[in-house]
Amino acid sequence: MIASQSMYKNEDEELMYNLTAKHIIDQYGTKKGVCMEIGIGPGYLGLQLANQSDMSMYMVDIDKEAIEKSKKNEKLFQIKDEINFVQADVAELPFDDNVADLIVSRGSMWFWHDQLNGLKEIYRVLKPNGVAFIGGGFGKCFLPKDLWERVVAYKKEQLKAYKKEKGMDIPALVPSEEKLIELLTAAAIPEYRLIKDYPGIWIEIKK
């Protein structure tokens, strides 16, 4: 089920997050257990995951404003289970070891102040046989081609506007594959896969 369009900028964006959540659930076969979203922003992805599964959802962000916005957006979904909102830094997650079946993060890693310890913490709280899917991109590997092309077109305009307003070039923040491999090696994460997805890259981590 797709929620009210009011929390998204347009129908294509809503469908993109809906299908991204579906891809993650189908790809990893995780519909139950504990799911964490790190760096939730307005809750676009995490709320879709909660809506499409029976997972216990923990939505984590260092920014109080993001949490309040996500709580407001939660009301647009008819989610039967309670969502746990947690204000915390990815580099110091307030969770025990080996508790999460699935960890997702879309678009936040480029802004983490400590990417190395963020990766270490994600791996620490991930259960054995759990999966983390972090990084970002516009979904070329799992969205229909026509939808992906429309998303890229309007997202490029968004990125231009953001750069003009904030002076920040987000695609330039995305680490190179070599840098990510260096970080993953330093974090002692043995099993991972890098998936290019314009304008970013996803990291699939298995434990």
Side-chain angles (χ1 to χ4, degrees), residues 77-122:
F77 288 80
Q78 296 177 342
I79 299 170
K80 61 183 179 181
D81 296 319
E82 180 183 0
I83 292 180
N84 304 283
F85 292 93
V86 180
Q87 186 176 358
D89 186 342
V90 65
E92 297 181 81
L93 293 174
F95 304 109
D96 292 335
D97 297 352
N98 307 316
V99 294
D101 298 276
L102 176 66
I103 299 176
V104 299
S105 180
R106 182 189 182 279
S108 76
M109 183 181 175
W110 325 139
F111 300 94
W112 296 352
H113 71 91
D114 189 344
Q115 293 177 338
L116 176 57
N117 279 314
L119 289 170
K120 285 181 177 180
E121 280 290 271
I122 284 173

Side-chain angles (χ1 to χ4, degrees), residues 19 26 33 42 48 52 62 84 86 91 99 120 126 135 153-154 158 160 168 172 179 184 187-188 194 207:
L19 293 177
D26 292 347
Q48 289 284 359
Q52 296 181 38
I62 196 171
N84 304 283
V86 180
V99 294
K120 285 181 177 180
L126 197 63
Y154 87 78
Q158 266 189 349
K160 286 180 185 177
M168 185 180 293
K179 177 62 176 177
L184 290 158
L194 303 182
K207 189 172 183 180

Side-chain angles (χ1 to χ4, degrees), residues 22-87:
K22 183 178 186 302
H23 167 78
I24 292 170
I25 291 168
D26 292 347
Q27 178 75 14
Y28 302 118
T30 308
K31 292 203 73 170
K32 294 184 178 181
V34 173
C35 178
M36 295 180 186
E37 184 186 17
I38 308 294
I40 61 178
Y44 290 164
L45 180 57
L47 292 173
Q48 289 284 359
L49 285 165
N51 197 45
Q52 296 181 38
S53 73
D54 295 317
M55 292 184 283
S56 297
M57 195 75 198
Y58 289 80
M59 298 183 68
V60 183
D61 204 295
I62 196 171
D63 182 30
K64 183 178 180 181
E65 185 178 340
I67 289 176
E68 293 305 316
K69 186 175 288 188
S70 294
K71 285 180 178 179
K72 182 179 178 180
N73 287 336
E74 180 191 7
K75 297 175 182 177
L76 302 174
F77 288 80
Q78 296 177 342
I79 299 170
K80 61 183 179 181
D81 296 319
E82 180 183 0
I83 292 180
N84 304 283
F85 292 93
V86 180
Q87 186 176 358

